[in-house]
Amino acid sequence: ASPSKTFNIAGLQIANIFAPSAEDRRMIERAINDNEICDVNPFGVTALITAYNRCADWLDELKEVIQTNYRHACAMFDSVPGSGRYFELQGTYLMWVDMRHLAEAAGNESLEEYIKERSKVWVNDGAMYGPGGEGFIRINLACPPAVFARGLDAFFTALAPLISASL
């Protein structure tokens, strides 16, 4: 378990490891020492303790922002036929969207590059997550709603020619 993404403190390189058995703990301990990653960042410890003990209100606000952006994105995808099929969030701030039907219309360009070049919005190409991810994109929902709305408008404007070509 790690507070790095939840509380945006990845640079402090701190996490918790929960191991159900003594044998698992021994294996983890050995791997940590063999890879020389056993030294803990003292600022990370303080940040972890502070995040867990004093940032519940901030986390609640963050989750509401993510849900607001997710609902907005769902409404946009639902209102634009042929734009893509999204999936329910599963404990994350990243939205997974099936756009395989538009990948062919993008030609030799990946959807990521196509969208980035035309909208200045950078989504993640699903192919980077392994076989079967081709034609999917991942959208980061963790930003202020006004910024997200502007980006989503630019995203859908860039997609319009692909959607028209695929219908």
Side-chain angles (χ1 to χ4, degrees):
S2 170
S4 62
K5 286 192 177 180
T6 301
F7 295 100
N8 196 22
I9 58 173
L12 296 177
Q13 301 175 330
I14 191 76
N16 301 299
I17 299 174
F18 299 93
S21 71
E23 177 60 25
D24 289 342
R25 286 189 292 279
R26 277 192 296 280
M27 289 173 38
I28 292 167
E29 177 88 20
R30 180 177 178 128
I32 287 171
N33 284 298
D34 286 352
N35 291 293
E36 298 182 3
I37 56 172
C38 54
D39 295 330
V40 176
N41 178 339
F43 296 110
V45 173
T46 300
L48 178 142
I49 292 168
T50 302
Y52 286 159
N53 291 322
R54 301 187 64 192
C55 297
D57 290 344
W58 178 87
L59 184 56
D60 289 342
E61 289 176 34
L62 173 64
K63 290 192 277 188
E64 185 53 41
V65 165
I66 291 166
Q67 283 301 312
T68 295
N69 289 343
Y70 177 67
R71 287 189 297 269
H72 185 181
C74 292
M76 290 288 286
F77 279 104
D78 289 344
S79 70
V80 180
S83 58
R85 185 173 63 91
Y86 57 88
F87 294 86
E88 184 177 331
L89 290 182
Q90 296 181 2
T92 184
Y93 56 89
L94 301 163
M95 184 177 188
W96 190 252
V97 184
D98 181 352
M99 302 183 85
R100 289 176 290 182
H101 64 291
L102 298 179
E104 188 175 313
N108 293 330
E109 248 180 316
S110 72
L111 283 172
E112 175 185 25
E113 287 301 316
Y114 181 94
I115 292 164
K116 184 170 62 170
E117 181 179 307
R118 289 158 182 81
S119 69
K120 307 303 181 225
V121 172
W122 194 348
V123 298
N124 295 120
D125 191 327
M128 72 186 286
Y129 302 101
E134 301 85 1
F136 289 80
I137 62 163
R138 192 175 80 159
I139 299 172
N140 188 327
L141 303 166
C143 64
V147 172
F148 186 77
R150 283 194 307 273
L152 200 59
D153 288 344
F155 171 86
F156 275 93
T157 298
L159 282 184
L162 288 182
I163 294 168
S164 294
S166 71
L167 296 178

